[in-house]
């Protein structure tokens, strides 16, 4: 699970609670953020200087009540330092919406992880976590549609359909194929949030601190 969460962060888990106007016309702006949503917690600090953004953050997922492994598994936490550039003249509203979409996708995968890694298929806890995951993917889809990113919105629909199939499947061989497809689609739609201009996604850097 750590490996999958680590991969997610390395594709740019930018859960940033800033005011868009703070990105422009200031030498240095710092702002804390904190999201505590049941089994998913994401906290940290954003530092903005010109076109450079630096984020130190911690993502944690915990086992839900009723999970098969809730007595044996400690919370999983990843702490990282991220850095990326934004293009000159980027529309502030567009950037904020893109980062908010990334937030929803991050929370969605956190719930997906708790449901599929800690809970038995067809249990109440498993269903609750997948329902929460779908809810936040749907929020991400709505932002993609607002941004005119119909391709990513369509990929979210594929993901929602796949999660429903995963919900009731107990066949190991089929599950492996489903999970491979899930991570492939999830990676693709997360990456779309940081490809703000050709080449700028290549400037993204991430260091895992814990």
């Amino acid at each position: 699970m750590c490996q999958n969460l680590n991969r997610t962060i390395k594709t740019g888990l930018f859960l940033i609670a800033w005011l868009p106007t703070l990105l422009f016309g200031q030498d240095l702006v710092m702002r804390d953020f904190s999201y505590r949503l049941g089994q998913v917690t994401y906290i940290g600090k954003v530092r903005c200087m010109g076109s450079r953004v630096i984020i130190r953050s911690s993502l944690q997922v915990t086992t839900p009540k009723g999970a098969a492994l809730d007595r044996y598994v400690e919370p999983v936490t990843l702490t990282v330092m991220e850095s990326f550039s934004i293009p000159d003249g980027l529309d502030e509203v567009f950037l904020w919406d893109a980062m908010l979409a990334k937030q929803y996708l991050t929370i969605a995968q956190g719930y997906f992880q708790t449901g599929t890694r800690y809970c038995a298929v067809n249990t109440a806890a498993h269903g609750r976590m997948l329902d929460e995951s779908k809810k936040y993917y749907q929020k991400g889809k709505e932002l993609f549609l607002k941004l005119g990113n119909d391709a990513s919105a369509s990929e979210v629909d594929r993901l929602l359909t796949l999660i429903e199939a995963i919900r009731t499947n107990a066949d190991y061989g089929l599950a492996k194929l489903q999970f491979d497809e899930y991570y492939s689609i999830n990676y693709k739609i997360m990456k779309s949030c940081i490809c703000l201009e050709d080449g700028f996604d290549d400037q993204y850097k991430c260091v895992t601190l814990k």
Side-chain angles (χ1 to χ4, degrees):
M1 179 174 179
C2 287
Q3 182 178 1
N4 291 327
L5 286 174
N6 194 38
R7 180 183 180 190
T8 299
I9 287 182
K10 287 184 177 180
T11 61
L13 301 187
F14 306 138
L15 183 54
I16 304 172
W18 57 35
L19 292 174
T21 54
L22 294 180
L23 283 173
F24 302 86
Q26 297 286 340
D27 291 332
L28 176 64
V29 177
M30 294 187 293
R31 187 175 179 87
D32 295 334
F33 59 88
S34 178
Y35 295 87
R36 302 177 187 275
L37 302 167
Q39 273 63 53
V40 179
T41 298
Y42 196 48
I43 59 176
K45 182 183 292 290
V46 181
R47 293 177 173 87
C48 305
M49 181 179 292
S51 62
R52 174 64 57 178
V53 179
I54 298 173
I55 308 163
R56 181 186 171 109
S57 62
S58 180
L59 174 68
Q60 181 183 83
V61 297
T62 59
T63 55
K65 268 191 174 182
L69 301 178
D70 61 353
R71 297 182 183 178
Y72 311 104
V73 180
E74 294 294 325
V76 176
T77 302
L78 287 173
T79 301
V80 301
M81 187 77 75
E82 301 167 274
S83 175
F84 65 100
S85 295
I86 57 175
D88 292 335
L90 182 70
D91 181 80
E92 300 164 72
V93 174
F94 177 89
L95 177 63
W96 172 237
D97 283 344
M99 296 301 99
L100 187 56
K102 180 73 80 177
Q103 166 191 349
Y104 291 146
L105 298 179
T106 301
I107 296 169
Q109 185 176 353
Y111 275 115
F112 179 85
Q113 291 283 352
T114 61
T116 57
R117 299 307 183 193
Y118 299 143
C119 307
V121 174
N122 289 325
T123 61
H126 181 260
R128 287 198 311 270
M129 295 301 99
L130 294 189
D131 284 342
E132 288 297 310
S133 178
K134 289 180 64 177
K135 180 172 74 175
Y136 284 100
Y137 277 123
Q138 184 65 40
K139 288 177 178 288
K141 175 189 172 182
E142 291 169 3
L143 279 169
F144 285 135
L145 291 173
K146 177 183 176 181
L147 293 168
N149 189 346
D150 294 345
S152 290
S154 179
E155 292 295 321
V156 173
D157 280 336
R158 288 181 58 200
L159 211 50
L160 294 173
T161 299
L162 185 59
I163 290 172
E164 276 304 300
I166 290 172
R167 181 191 296 269
T168 57
N169 176 50
D171 180 83
Y172 177 81
L174 178 57
K176 184 180 184 307
L177 296 176
Q178 290 174 330
F179 275 72
D180 286 346
E181 184 179 3
Y182 168 86
Y183 286 112
S184 176
I185 298 172
N186 190 73
Y187 174 80
K188 183 177 180 180
I189 59 177
M190 282 199 166
K191 193 168 190 274
S192 72
C193 295
I194 60 172
C195 293
L196 303 176
E197 186 173 289
D198 290 345
F200 270 76
D201 55 314
D202 296 331
Q203 298 183 27
Y204 171 72
K205 306 294 181 185
C206 177
V207 177
T208 302
L209 303 175
K210 178 181 177 183

